[in-house]
Amino acid sequence: MRTTVGIIGAGPAGLLLARLLHNAGIDSVVLESRDRAYVEQRQRAGILEQGTVDVLRAAGAAERMDREGLRHDGIELRFARTRHRVDFPALTGGSSVMVYAQTEVCKDLIALQLKEGGPLLFEAEALAVEDAESDSPRVRFRHEGREDVLECDYVVGCDGFWGVARQAVPAGISQVFERTYPFGWLGILADVAPSHDELVYARHERGFALLSMRSPSVSRLYLQVPDGTAAETWADEEIWDELERRLETDDDWRLERGPITQKSVTPMRSYVHEPMRHGRLFLAGDAAHIVPPTGAKGLNLAVGDVVTFARALAYEKETGSAERLDAYSETCLRRVWQAERFSYDMTTLLHRAPDATAFEDRVQLARLRRIAGSRAAGTDLAEGYTGFPLD
């Protein structure tokens, strides 16, 4: 089997890349180790930056998002039992975000790929990327019980942190930058209407809490818990009680409770692999970088990566110049490190470390009051949250 671009991974990054290449008249093949049902059901991100929304619209993949997604023009910060709204359009010149689950993005892109695009092979496990430094890299994979080889001009690894793509980058040129956090997020899905019409980020002396949603009838909520916590050790009523404590205010706001349908714990880490390119192998999304979920950057960073690659390859097709492909890693990393900085800032702003001192508590509150009282500080948060430029 041969194609121009071999894409490993059918998450939102790989699927969007296939769509962008299709629209540019460039053929591709997507290899996904899981089955279609798994890809369409795995719960991940739910916040799309303005740039991601714009890209999906331009790609012809936004019809259902525009019909069912929830546009949000701000978030609410809660601390010391007070509430402060950050108004995105007023602070950014019109930008907003969209609440639309990753599962739904994947469903939309899969349907388009199967209808209009090139081959999308589910249950096709990539085993290795070979000859990345040559003009003809190869992906060795297993599909329908036999091994096969996908010959390409380029390989893009959208196969996540544990995938094979990054393993093809020689250890001698790899640099890793990472930070782990001594806490995680206990997340729940609940069949109850959200208790607020926008996301609520709460800093509390007992730990962070987040009120989010997946739809007008499904709530997504999170609690900061110690690293290594098992979700099943938390009873449903215990979760609701703790959410109520951490989200409490001095006004008449109340948290609505409902049946919990899913419960899991997400570890918190920051990770960047440099470079994001080796020969004709390009890394995108979690294969190259991970952010703590506080800043809602993971999916959006992956979108930025594949947009950068697709535009660079289209430029080479039009002009014969590989200049933009050669600059892929540097271009992506500028945006990646801004998102890492923003996510780190949001995490340290809102989470209470296990060994936090009274001084550090006061500094957190001072930072939050600065955002609430300064247009400049509020603008910095709003610009970071709604997204950094894709180029």
Side-chain angles (χ1 to χ4, degrees), residues 23-254:
N23 289 348
I26 301 170
D27 61 292
S28 68
V29 173
V30 183
L31 306 176
E32 168 55 47
S33 62
R34 303 283 192 162
D35 62 26
R36 179 177 180 179
Y38 179 89
V39 174
E40 294 185 339
Q41 292 171 11
R42 57 185 166 193
Q43 293 291 332
R44 294 291 189 272
I47 304 294
L48 308 183
E49 295 175 354
Q50 183 68 63
T52 298
V53 170
D54 294 343
V55 166
L56 289 170
R57 286 172 177 159
E63 180 182 354
R64 195 162 67 94
M65 178 194 74
D66 283 331
R67 186 173 66 250
E68 299 178 11
L70 306 174
R71 171 178 163 145
H72 280 199
D73 287 336
I75 59 172
E76 183 172 286
L77 299 177
R78 292 190 184 179
F79 55 96
R81 300 176 65 92
T82 64
R83 306 167 66 177
H84 173 73
R85 183 173 185 267
V86 180
D87 187 327
F88 293 157
L91 295 169
T92 64
S95 295
S96 62
V97 297
M98 184 79 74
V99 176
Y100 191 64
Q102 174 176 314
T103 50
E104 307 311 306
V105 174
C106 288
K107 289 175 187 176
D108 297 342
L109 290 169
I110 287 171
L112 285 170
Q113 184 71 8
L114 294 177
K115 180 181 178 182
E116 303 173 5
L120 167 54
L121 306 182
F122 290 104
E123 299 180 87
E125 179 188 6
L127 303 174
V129 177
E130 301 172 340
D131 301 326
E133 296 179 357
S134 74
D135 290 340
S136 301
R138 300 148 44 98
V139 181
R140 194 157 43 82
F141 67 100
R142 183 183 295 111
H143 184 236
E144 296 181 342
R146 64 183 180 87
E147 284 197 19
D148 204 342
V149 172
L150 177 62
E151 299 179 348
C152 324
D153 294 329
Y154 306 93
V155 176
V156 182
C158 305
D159 52 344
F161 183 79
W162 301 107
V164 301
R166 193 176 65 251
Q167 298 174 22
V169 181
I173 69 168
S174 294
Q175 284 188 288
V176 169
F177 307 86
E178 61 184 326
R179 179 187 179 93
T180 57
Y181 299 86
F183 43 74
W185 277 12
L186 170 62
I188 63 167
L189 278 176
D191 286 338
V192 60
S195 300
H196 193 61
D197 55 2
E198 292 179 333
L199 273 68
V200 176
Y201 287 78
R203 186 268 178 200
H204 192 273
E205 58 267 20
R206 295 176 64 91
F208 168 76
L210 171 61
L211 187 160
S212 182
M213 66 281 294
R214 285 294 178 263
S215 74
S217 60
V218 177
S219 292
R220 182 75 159 152
L221 302 107
Y222 298 92
L223 286 171
Q224 176 187 342
V225 294
D227 184 40
T229 297
E232 59 270 17
T233 63
W234 281 73
D236 290 3
E237 285 307 306
E238 186 181 8
I239 293 172
W240 286 118
D241 289 345
E242 191 62 24
L243 284 165
E244 200 165 75
R245 289 188 195 100
R246 299 187 193 184
L247 291 163
E248 63 187 354
T249 63
D250 281 334
D251 58 21
D252 60 356
W253 181 88
R254 293 292 178 269

